[in-house]
PDB file of all heavy atoms in Angstrom:
ATOM      1  N   LYS A 211       2.616  29.014  28.454  1.00 98.00           N
ATOM      2  CA  LYS A 211       1.237  28.677  28.019  1.00 98.00           C
ATOM      3  C   LYS A 211       0.257  29.807  28.397  1.00 98.00           C
ATOM      4  O   LYS A 211      -0.617  30.150  27.607  1.00 98.00           O
ATOM      5  CB  LYS A 211       0.815  27.343  28.678  1.00 98.00           C
ATOM      6  CG  LYS A 211       1.269  26.135  27.910  1.00 98.00           C
ATOM      7  CD  LYS A 211       0.629  24.870  28.388  1.00 98.00           C
ATOM      8  CE  LYS A 211       1.369  24.342  29.628  1.00 98.00           C
ATOM      9  NZ  LYS A 211       0.909  23.007  30.062  1.00 98.00           N
ATOM     10  N   LYS A 212       0.420  30.343  29.624  1.00 98.00           N
ATOM     11  CA  LYS A 212      -0.425  31.459  30.034  1.00 98.00           C
ATOM     12  C   LYS A 212      -0.313  32.666  29.130  1.00 98.00           C
ATOM     13  O   LYS A 212      -1.238  33.345  28.804  1.00 98.00           O
ATOM     14  CB  LYS A 212      -0.104  31.855  31.472  1.00 98.00           C
ATOM     15  CG  LYS A 212      -0.785  30.978  32.541  1.00 98.00           C
ATOM     16  CD  LYS A 212      -0.402  31.402  33.951  1.00 98.00           C
ATOM     17  CE  LYS A 212      -0.422  30.225  34.893  1.00 98.00           C
ATOM     18  NZ  LYS A 212       0.549  30.355  35.933  1.00 98.00           N
ATOM     19  N   LEU A 213       0.963  32.954  28.700  1.00 98.00           N
ATOM     20  CA  LEU A 213       1.170  34.132  27.850  1.00 98.00           C
ATOM     21  C   LEU A 213       0.610  33.949  26.503  1.00 98.00           C
ATOM     22  O   LEU A 213       0.077  34.892  25.868  1.00 98.00           O
ATOM     23  CB  LEU A 213       2.677  34.421  27.791  1.00 98.00           C
ATOM     24  CG  LEU A 213       3.303  34.864  29.116  1.00 98.00           C
ATOM     25  CD1 LEU A 213       4.849  34.988  28.997  1.00 98.00           C
ATOM     26  CD2 LEU A 213       2.722  36.208  29.581  1.00 98.00           C
ATOM     27  N   ILE A 214       0.647  32.708  25.928  1.00 98.00           N
ATOM     28  CA  ILE A 214      -0.031  32.423  24.672  1.00 98.00           C
ATOM     29  C   ILE A 214      -1.532  32.613  24.826  1.00 98.00           C
ATOM     30  O   ILE A 214      -2.210  33.232  24.032  1.00 98.00           O
ATOM     31  CB  ILE A 214       0.319  30.998  24.150  1.00 98.00           C
ATOM     32  CG1 ILE A 214       1.821  30.877  23.872  1.00 98.00           C
ATOM     33  CG2 ILE A 214      -0.507  30.670  22.904  1.00 98.00           C
ATOM     34  CD1 ILE A 214       2.230  29.437  23.465  1.00 98.00           C
ATOM     35  N   GLN A 215      -2.068  32.044  25.954  1.00 98.00           N
ATOM     36  CA  GLN A 215      -3.482  32.122  26.170  1.00 98.00           C
ATOM     37  C   GLN A 215      -3.964  33.548  26.288  1.00 98.00           C
ATOM     38  O   GLN A 215      -5.000  33.936  25.686  1.00 98.00           O
ATOM     39  CB  GLN A 215      -3.818  31.408  27.518  1.00 98.00           C
ATOM     40  CG  GLN A 215      -5.311  31.328  27.805  1.00 98.00           C
ATOM     41  CD  GLN A 215      -5.673  30.088  28.612  1.00 98.00           C
ATOM     42  OE1 GLN A 215      -4.881  29.627  29.433  1.00 98.00           O
ATOM     43  NE2 GLN A 215      -6.838  29.589  28.392  1.00 98.00           N
ATOM     44  N   LYS A 216      -3.145  34.401  26.988  1.00 98.00           N
ATOM     45  CA  LYS A 216      -3.522  35.847  27.107  1.00 98.00           C
ATOM     46  C   LYS A 216      -3.146  36.646  25.846  1.00 98.00           C
ATOM     47  O   LYS A 216      -3.470  37.842  25.793  1.00 98.00           O
ATOM     48  CB  LYS A 216      -2.767  36.420  28.343  1.00 98.00           C
ATOM     49  CG  LYS A 216      -3.278  35.952  29.667  1.00 98.00           C
ATOM     50  CD  LYS A 216      -2.842  36.868  30.795  1.00 98.00           C
ATOM     51  CE  LYS A 216      -1.345  36.724  31.096  1.00 98.00           C
ATOM     52  NZ  LYS A 216      -0.881  37.588  32.222  1.00 98.00           N
ATOM     53  N   ARG A 217      -2.440  36.051  24.984  1.00 98.00           N
ATOM     54  CA  ARG A 217      -1.927  36.738  23.789  1.00 98.00           C
ATOM     55  C   ARG A 217      -1.175  37.993  24.191  1.00 98.00           C
ATOM     56  O   ARG A 217      -1.324  39.057  23.569  1.00 98.00           O
ATOM     57  CB  ARG A 217      -3.031  37.089  22.787  1.00 98.00           C
ATOM     58  CG  ARG A 217      -3.864  35.861  22.323  1.00 98.00           C
ATOM     59  CD  ARG A 217      -4.823  36.279  21.238  1.00 98.00           C
ATOM     60  NE  ARG A 217      -5.669  35.169  20.782  1.00 98.00           N
ATOM     61  CZ  ARG A 217      -6.903  34.914  21.285  1.00 98.00           C
ATOM     62  NH1 ARG A 217      -7.400  35.677  22.219  1.00 98.00           N
ATOM     63  NH2 ARG A 217      -7.581  33.886  20.824  1.00 98.00           N
ATOM     64  N   ASP A 218      -0.337  37.841  25.220  1.00 98.00           N
ATOM     65  CA  ASP A 218       0.508  38.988  25.733  1.00 98.00           C
ATOM     66  C   ASP A 218       1.799  38.930  24.951  1.00 98.00           C
ATOM     67  O   ASP A 218       2.784  38.289  25.353  1.00 98.00           O
ATOM     68  CB  ASP A 218       0.729  38.817  27.238  1.00 98.00           C
ATOM     69  CG  ASP A 218       1.595  39.896  27.802  1.00 98.00           C
ATOM     70  OD1 ASP A 218       2.287  40.626  27.059  1.00 98.00           O
ATOM     71  OD2 ASP A 218       1.618  39.995  29.012  1.00 98.00           O
ATOM     72  N   PHE A 219       1.852  39.584  23.771  1.00 98.00           N
ATOM     73  CA  PHE A 219       2.941  39.365  22.845  1.00 98.00           C
ATOM     74  C   PHE A 219       4.320  39.815  23.409  1.00 98.00           C
ATOM     75  O   PHE A 219       5.303  39.089  23.254  1.00 98.00           O
ATOM     76  CB  PHE A 219       2.712  40.036  21.494  1.00 98.00           C
ATOM     77  CG  PHE A 219       3.746  39.633  20.488  1.00 98.00           C
ATOM     78  CD1 PHE A 219       3.843  38.326  20.014  1.00 98.00           C
ATOM     79  CD2 PHE A 219       4.733  40.541  20.069  1.00 98.00           C
ATOM     80  CE1 PHE A 219       4.808  37.925  19.144  1.00 98.00           C
ATOM     81  CE2 PHE A 219       5.710  40.131  19.164  1.00 98.00           C
ATOM     82  CZ  PHE A 219       5.762  38.826  18.726  1.00 98.00           C
ATOM     83  N   GLU A 220       4.355  40.899  24.091  1.00 98.00           N
ATOM     84  CA  GLU A 220       5.662  41.420  24.525  1.00 98.00           C
ATOM     85  C   GLU A 220       6.263  40.468  25.553  1.00 98.00           C
ATOM     86  O   GLU A 220       7.427  40.062  25.442  1.00 98.00           O
ATOM     87  CB  GLU A 220       5.484  42.810  25.147  1.00 98.00           C
ATOM     88  CG  GLU A 220       6.828  43.521  25.315  1.00 98.00           C
ATOM     89  CD  GLU A 220       6.662  44.898  25.947  1.00 98.00           C
ATOM     90  OE1 GLU A 220       5.675  45.625  25.567  1.00 98.00           O
ATOM     91  OE2 GLU A 220       7.454  45.263  26.805  1.00 98.00           O
ATOM     92  N   SER A 221       5.500  40.071  26.571  1.00 98.00           N
ATOM     93  CA  SER A 221       5.990  39.150  27.581  1.00 98.00           C
ATOM     94  C   SER A 221       6.318  37.796  26.968  1.00 98.00           C
ATOM     95  O   SER A 221       7.315  37.162  27.328  1.00 98.00           O
ATOM     96  CB  SER A 221       5.005  38.937  28.741  1.00 98.00           C
ATOM     97  OG  SER A 221       4.636  40.195  29.291  1.00 98.00           O
ATOM     98  N   PHE A 222       5.474  37.332  26.056  1.00 98.00           N
ATOM     99  CA  PHE A 222       5.712  36.091  25.312  1.00 98.00           C
ATOM    100  C   PHE A 222       7.053  36.184  24.587  1.00 98.00           C
ATOM    101  O   PHE A 222       7.895  35.259  24.741  1.00 98.00           O
ATOM    102  CB  PHE A 222       4.562  35.864  24.345  1.00 98.00           C
ATOM    103  CG  PHE A 222       4.828  34.739  23.352  1.00 98.00           C
ATOM    104  CD1 PHE A 222       4.729  33.417  23.755  1.00 98.00           C
ATOM    105  CD2 PHE A 222       5.064  35.048  21.998  1.00 98.00           C
ATOM    106  CE1 PHE A 222       4.951  32.427  22.830  1.00 98.00           C
ATOM    107  CE2 PHE A 222       5.292  34.042  21.105  1.00 98.00           C
ATOM    108  CZ  PHE A 222       5.256  32.719  21.516  1.00 98.00           C
ATOM    109  N   GLY A 223       7.261  37.251  23.817  1.00 98.00           N
ATOM    110  CA  GLY A 223       8.507  37.385  23.076  1.00 98.00           C
ATOM    111  C   GLY A 223       9.733  37.419  23.945  1.00 98.00           C
ATOM    112  O   GLY A 223      10.772  36.784  23.659  1.00 98.00           O
ATOM    113  N   GLU A 224       9.624  38.138  25.061  1.00 98.00           N
ATOM    114  CA  GLU A 224      10.754  38.256  25.957  1.00 98.00           C
ATOM    115  C   GLU A 224      11.127  36.863  26.539  1.00 98.00           C
ATOM    116  O   GLU A 224      12.313  36.505  26.619  1.00 98.00           O
ATOM    117  CB  GLU A 224      10.434  39.167  27.132  1.00 98.00           C
ATOM    118  CG  GLU A 224      10.745  40.638  26.783  1.00 98.00           C
ATOM    119  CD  GLU A 224      10.395  41.602  27.908  1.00 98.00           C
ATOM    120  OE1 GLU A 224      10.247  41.136  29.055  1.00 98.00           O
ATOM    121  OE2 GLU A 224      10.225  42.800  27.597  1.00 98.00           O
ATOM    122  N   LEU A 225      10.074  36.115  26.910  1.00 98.00           N
ATOM    123  CA  LEU A 225      10.359  34.786  27.481  1.00 98.00           C
ATOM    124  C   LEU A 225      10.973  33.845  26.441  1.00 98.00           C
ATOM    125  O   LEU A 225      11.934  33.095  26.751  1.00 98.00           O
ATOM    126  CB  LEU A 225       9.057  34.199  28.021  1.00 98.00           C
ATOM    127  CG  LEU A 225       9.193  32.911  28.828  1.00 98.00           C
ATOM    128  CD1 LEU A 225      10.134  33.078  30.016  1.00 98.00           C
ATOM    129  CD2 LEU A 225       7.840  32.426  29.365  1.00 98.00           C
ATOM    130  N   VAL A 226      10.491  33.953  25.204  1.00 98.00           N
ATOM    131  CA  VAL A 226      11.046  33.106  24.135  1.00 98.00           C
ATOM    132  C   VAL A 226      12.525  33.397  23.883  1.00 98.00           C
ATOM    133  O   VAL A 226      13.370  32.530  23.766  1.00 98.00           O
ATOM    134  CB  VAL A 226      10.211  33.312  22.850  1.00 98.00           C
ATOM    135  CG1 VAL A 226      10.921  32.714  21.622  1.00 98.00           C
ATOM    136  CG2 VAL A 226       8.806  32.684  23.005  1.00 98.00           C
ATOM    137  N   GLU A 227      12.852  34.708  23.920  1.00 98.00           N
ATOM    138  CA  GLU A 227      14.270  35.116  23.700  1.00 98.00           C
ATOM    139  C   GLU A 227      15.108  34.681  24.845  1.00 98.00           C
ATOM    140  O   GLU A 227      16.241  34.189  24.643  1.00 98.00           O
ATOM    141  CB  GLU A 227      14.305  36.643  23.567  1.00 98.00           C
ATOM    142  CG  GLU A 227      14.952  37.082  22.265  1.00 98.00           C
ATOM    143  CD  GLU A 227      14.931  38.575  22.055  1.00 98.00           C
ATOM    144  OE1 GLU A 227      15.541  39.312  22.902  1.00 98.00           O
ATOM    145  OE2 GLU A 227      14.298  39.053  21.127  1.00 98.00           O
ATOM    146  N   GLN A 228      14.606  34.896  26.060  1.00 98.00           N
ATOM    147  CA  GLN A 228      15.386  34.453  27.251  1.00 98.00           C
ATOM    148  C   GLN A 228      15.658  32.927  27.200  1.00 98.00           C
ATOM    149  O   GLN A 228      16.768  32.480  27.575  1.00 98.00           O
ATOM    150  CB  GLN A 228      14.624  34.807  28.520  1.00 98.00           C
ATOM    151  CG  GLN A 228      14.708  36.281  28.913  1.00 98.00           C
ATOM    152  CD  GLN A 228      13.667  36.628  30.011  1.00 98.00           C
ATOM    153  OE1 GLN A 228      13.106  35.719  30.640  1.00 98.00           O
ATOM    154  NE2 GLN A 228      13.480  37.917  30.188  1.00 98.00           N
ATOM    155  N   GLU A 229      14.683  32.199  26.780  1.00 98.00           N
ATOM    156  CA  GLU A 229      14.870  30.766  26.716  1.00 98.00           C
ATOM    157  C   GLU A 229      15.904  30.329  25.691  1.00 98.00           C
ATOM    158  O   GLU A 229      16.756  29.483  25.939  1.00 98.00           O
ATOM    159  CB  GLU A 229      13.497  30.084  26.397  1.00 98.00           C
ATOM    160  CG  GLU A 229      13.549  28.644  25.934  1.00 98.00           C
ATOM    161  CD  GLU A 229      14.053  27.640  26.958  1.00 98.00           C
ATOM    162  OE1 GLU A 229      14.406  28.043  28.097  1.00 98.00           O
ATOM    163  OE2 GLU A 229      14.130  26.448  26.676  1.00 98.00           O
ATOM    164  N   ALA A 230      15.921  31.050  24.565  1.00 98.00           N
ATOM    165  CA  ALA A 230      16.959  30.729  23.546  1.00 98.00           C
ATOM    166  C   ALA A 230      18.341  31.070  24.110  1.00 98.00           C
ATOM    167  O   ALA A 230      19.333  30.316  23.913  1.00 98.00           O
ATOM    168  CB  ALA A 230      16.723  31.517  22.271  1.00 98.00           C
ATOM    169  N   LEU A 231      18.435  32.206  24.795  1.00 98.00           N
ATOM    170  CA  LEU A 231      19.724  32.603  25.377  1.00 98.00           C
ATOM    171  C   LEU A 231      20.149  31.581  26.438  1.00 98.00           C
ATOM    172  O   LEU A 231      21.326  31.220  26.572  1.00 98.00           O
ATOM    173  CB  LEU A 231      19.643  33.991  25.962  1.00 98.00           C
ATOM    174  CG  LEU A 231      19.602  35.115  24.930  1.00 98.00           C
ATOM    175  CD1 LEU A 231      19.081  36.419  25.543  1.00 98.00           C
ATOM    176  CD2 LEU A 231      21.008  35.343  24.396  1.00 98.00           C
ATOM    177  N   GLU A 232      19.176  31.082  27.195  1.00 98.00           N
ATOM    178  CA  GLU A 232      19.510  30.095  28.267  1.00 98.00           C
ATOM    179  C   GLU A 232      20.022  28.827  27.649  1.00 98.00           C
ATOM    180  O   GLU A 232      20.975  28.255  28.123  1.00 98.00           O
ATOM    181  CB  GLU A 232      18.272  29.881  29.141  1.00 98.00           C
ATOM    182  CG  GLU A 232      18.581  28.906  30.293  1.00 98.00           C
ATOM    183  CD  GLU A 232      17.419  28.782  31.302  1.00 98.00           C
ATOM    184  OE1 GLU A 232      17.032  29.815  31.873  1.00 98.00           O
ATOM    185  OE2 GLU A 232      16.927  27.663  31.466  1.00 98.00           O
ATOM    186  N   LEU A 233      19.378  28.395  26.580  1.00 98.00           N
ATOM    187  CA  LEU A 233      19.843  27.205  25.865  1.00 98.00           C
ATOM    188  C   LEU A 233      21.334  27.348  25.478  1.00 98.00           C
ATOM    189  O   LEU A 233      22.149  26.477  25.656  1.00 98.00           O
ATOM    190  CB  LEU A 233      18.972  26.952  24.611  1.00 98.00           C
ATOM    191  CG  LEU A 233      19.463  25.852  23.671  1.00 98.00           C
ATOM    192  CD1 LEU A 233      19.152  24.469  24.278  1.00 98.00           C
ATOM    193  CD2 LEU A 233      18.807  25.986  22.304  1.00 98.00           C
ATOM    194  N   HIS A 234      21.617  28.541  24.889  1.00 98.00           N
ATOM    195  CA  HIS A 234      23.015  28.730  24.454  1.00 98.00           C
ATOM    196  C   HIS A 234      23.961  28.897  25.631  1.00 98.00           C
ATOM    197  O   HIS A 234      25.138  28.507  25.516  1.00 98.00           O
ATOM    198  CB  HIS A 234      23.066  29.944  23.458  1.00 98.00           C
ATOM    199  CG  HIS A 234      22.592  29.503  22.077  1.00 98.00           C
ATOM    200  ND1 HIS A 234      23.431  29.040  21.137  1.00 98.00           N
ATOM    201  CD2 HIS A 234      21.332  29.452  21.615  1.00 98.00           C
ATOM    202  CE1 HIS A 234      22.737  28.710  20.061  1.00 98.00           C
ATOM    203  NE2 HIS A 234      21.434  28.943  20.311  1.00 98.00           N
ATOM    204  N   ALA A 235      23.482  29.425  26.761  1.00 98.00           N
ATOM    205  CA  ALA A 235      24.310  29.526  27.932  1.00 98.00           C
ATOM    206  C   ALA A 235      24.673  28.139  28.416  1.00 98.00           C
ATOM    207  O   ALA A 235      25.824  27.848  28.792  1.00 98.00           O
ATOM    208  CB  ALA A 235      23.591  30.279  29.039  1.00 98.00           C
ATOM    209  N   ILE A 236      23.700  27.177  28.361  1.00 98.00           N
ATOM    210  CA  ILE A 236      24.007  25.784  28.705  1.00 98.00           C
ATOM    211  C   ILE A 236      25.082  25.219  27.749  1.00 98.00           C
ATOM    212  O   ILE A 236      26.054  24.633  28.156  1.00 98.00           O
ATOM    213  CB  ILE A 236      22.716  24.951  28.646  1.00 98.00           C
ATOM    214  CG1 ILE A 236      21.705  25.413  29.713  1.00 98.00           C
ATOM    215  CG2 ILE A 236      23.045  23.454  28.775  1.00 98.00           C
ATOM    216  CD1 ILE A 236      22.137  25.166  31.159  1.00 98.00           C
ATOM    217  N   MET A 237      24.841  25.425  26.457  1.00 98.00           N
ATOM    218  CA  MET A 237      25.752  24.818  25.474  1.00 98.00           C
ATOM    219  C   MET A 237      27.186  25.356  25.583  1.00 98.00           C
ATOM    220  O   MET A 237      28.175  24.681  25.514  1.00 98.00           O
ATOM    221  CB  MET A 237      25.190  25.012  24.079  1.00 98.00           C
ATOM    222  CG  MET A 237      23.849  24.300  23.928  1.00 98.00           C
ATOM    223  SD  MET A 237      23.120  24.261  22.253  1.00 98.00           S
ATOM    224  CE  MET A 237      22.903  26.027  21.927  1.00 98.00           C
ATOM    225  N   LEU A 238      27.259  26.676  25.857  1.00 98.00           N
ATOM    226  CA  LEU A 238      28.577  27.321  25.994  1.00 98.00           C
ATOM    227  C   LEU A 238      29.354  26.804  27.218  1.00 98.00           C
ATOM    228  O   LEU A 238      30.568  26.819  27.227  1.00 98.00           O
ATOM    229  CB  LEU A 238      28.475  28.840  26.172  1.00 98.00           C
ATOM    230  CG  LEU A 238      27.965  29.658  24.993  1.00 98.00           C
ATOM    231  CD1 LEU A 238      27.763  31.117  25.412  1.00 98.00           C
ATOM    232  CD2 LEU A 238      28.891  29.596  23.808  1.00 98.00           C
ATOM    233  N   THR A 239      28.623  26.337  28.237  1.00 98.00           N
ATOM    234  CA  THR A 239      29.288  25.880  29.453  1.00 98.00           C
ATOM    235  C   THR A 239      29.371  24.347  29.549  1.00 98.00           C
ATOM    236  O   THR A 239      29.757  23.815  30.580  1.00 98.00           O
ATOM    237  CB  THR A 239      28.527  26.443  30.684  1.00 98.00           C
ATOM    238  OG1 THR A 239      27.140  26.136  30.593  1.00 98.00           O
ATOM    239  CG2 THR A 239      28.769  27.929  30.814  1.00 98.00           C
ATOM    240  N   GLN A 240      29.026  23.652  28.483  1.00 98.00           N
ATOM    241  CA  GLN A 240      29.237  22.187  28.431  1.00 98.00           C
ATOM    242  C   GLN A 240      30.719  21.888  28.289  1.00 98.00           C
ATOM    243  O   GLN A 240      31.545  22.735  27.909  1.00 98.00           O
ATOM    244  CB  GLN A 240      28.470  21.563  27.277  1.00 98.00           C
ATOM    245  CG  GLN A 240      26.973  21.573  27.541  1.00 98.00           C
ATOM    246  CD  GLN A 240      26.119  20.941  26.429  1.00 98.00           C
ATOM    247  OE1 GLN A 240      24.947  21.285  26.250  1.00 98.00           O
ATOM    248  NE2 GLN A 240      26.703  20.001  25.684  1.00 98.00           N
ATOM    249  N   LYS A 241      31.078  20.649  28.604  1.00 97.00           N
ATOM    250  CA  LYS A 241      32.456  20.176  28.432  1.00 97.00           C
ATOM    251  C   LYS A 241      32.456  19.091  27.381  1.00 97.00           C
ATOM    252  O   LYS A 241      31.897  18.032  27.716  1.00 97.00           O
ATOM    253  CB  LYS A 241      33.076  19.682  29.717  1.00 97.00           C
ATOM    254  CG  LYS A 241      32.918  20.644  30.925  1.00 97.00           C
ATOM    255  CD  LYS A 241      33.816  21.869  30.889  1.00 97.00           C
ATOM    256  CE  LYS A 241      33.491  22.819  31.999  1.00 97.00           C
ATOM    257  NZ  LYS A 241      32.165  23.498  32.027  1.00 97.00           N
ATOM    258  N   PRO A 242      33.014  19.213  26.226  1.00 95.00           N
ATOM    259  CA  PRO A 242      33.616  20.464  25.697  1.00 95.00           C
ATOM    260  C   PRO A 242      32.547  21.503  25.345  1.00 95.00           C
ATOM    261  O   PRO A 242      31.402  21.133  25.060  1.00 95.00           O
ATOM    262  CB  PRO A 242      34.307  19.974  24.435  1.00 95.00           C
ATOM    263  CG  PRO A 242      33.561  18.753  23.977  1.00 95.00           C
ATOM    264  CD  PRO A 242      33.064  18.128  25.244  1.00 95.00           C
ATOM    265  N   PRO A 243      32.939  22.801  25.316  1.00 97.00           N
ATOM    266  CA  PRO A 243      31.961  23.851  25.060  1.00 97.00           C
ATOM    267  C   PRO A 243      31.444  23.751  23.626  1.00 97.00           C
ATOM    268  O   PRO A 243      32.126  23.315  22.721  1.00 97.00           O
ATOM    269  CB  PRO A 243      32.810  25.157  25.171  1.00 97.00           C
ATOM    270  CG  PRO A 243      34.114  24.725  25.758  1.00 97.00           C
ATOM    271  CD  PRO A 243      34.301  23.293  25.509  1.00 97.00           C
ATOM    272  N   LEU A 244      30.184  24.144  23.463  1.00 96.00           N
ATOM    273  CA  LEU A 244      29.550  24.180  22.117  1.00 96.00           C
ATOM    274  C   LEU A 244      29.178  25.609  21.794  1.00 96.00           C
ATOM    275  O   LEU A 244      28.306  26.197  22.434  1.00 96.00           O
ATOM    276  CB  LEU A 244      28.302  23.327  22.121  1.00 96.00           C
ATOM    277  CG  LEU A 244      28.500  21.822  22.343  1.00 96.00           C
ATOM    278  CD1 LEU A 244      27.175  21.130  22.565  1.00 96.00           C
ATOM    279  CD2 LEU A 244      29.233  21.250  21.120  1.00 96.00           C
ATOM    280  N   ILE A 245      29.837  26.175  20.786  1.00 95.00           N
ATOM    281  CA  ILE A 245      29.569  27.565  20.365  1.00 95.00           C
ATOM    282  C   ILE A 245      28.834  27.487  19.056  1.00 95.00           C
ATOM    283  O   ILE A 245      29.410  27.367  18.008  1.00 95.00           O
ATOM    284  CB  ILE A 245      30.896  28.348  20.261  1.00 95.00           C
ATOM    285  CG1 ILE A 245      31.669  28.265  21.580  1.00 95.00           C
ATOM    286  CG2 ILE A 245      30.581  29.829  19.917  1.00 95.00           C
ATOM    287  CD1 ILE A 245      33.092  28.867  21.481  1.00 95.00           C
ATOM    288  N   TYR A 246      27.508  27.455  19.160  1.00 93.00           N
ATOM    289  CA  TYR A 246      26.699  27.372  17.916  1.00 93.00           C
ATOM    290  C   TYR A 246      26.422  28.757  17.327  1.00 93.00           C
ATOM    291  O   TYR A 246      25.891  28.850  16.224  1.00 93.00           O
ATOM    292  CB  TYR A 246      25.372  26.644  18.209  1.00 93.00           C
ATOM    293  CG  TYR A 246      25.486  25.122  18.340  1.00 93.00           C
ATOM    294  CD1 TYR A 246      25.198  24.445  19.490  1.00 93.00           C
ATOM    295  CD2 TYR A 246      25.912  24.358  17.215  1.00 93.00           C
ATOM    296  CE1 TYR A 246      25.281  23.065  19.592  1.00 93.00           C
ATOM    297  CE2 TYR A 246      25.993  22.984  17.321  1.00 93.00           C
ATOM    298  CZ  TYR A 246      25.674  22.338  18.502  1.00 93.00           C
ATOM    299  OH  TYR A 246      25.780  20.964  18.594  1.00 93.00           O
TER     300      TYR A 246
END
Side-chain angles (χ1 to χ4, degrees):
Chain A
K211 277 189 278 187
K212 279 180 208 146
L213 294 173
I214 296 174
Q215 184 150 32
K216 289 199 287 183
R217 302 188 184 93
D218 178 345
F219 187 69
E220 195 180 320
S221 304
F222 169 75
E224 275 177 18
L225 189 56
V226 167
E227 237 177 62
Q228 284 168 12
E229 164 66 358
L231 285 162
E232 184 171 300
L233 172 74
H234 283 269
I236 295 294
M237 298 187 299
L238 292 175
T239 51
Q240 288 182 207
K241 311 286 174 297
L244 294 170
I245 306 173
Y246 283 117

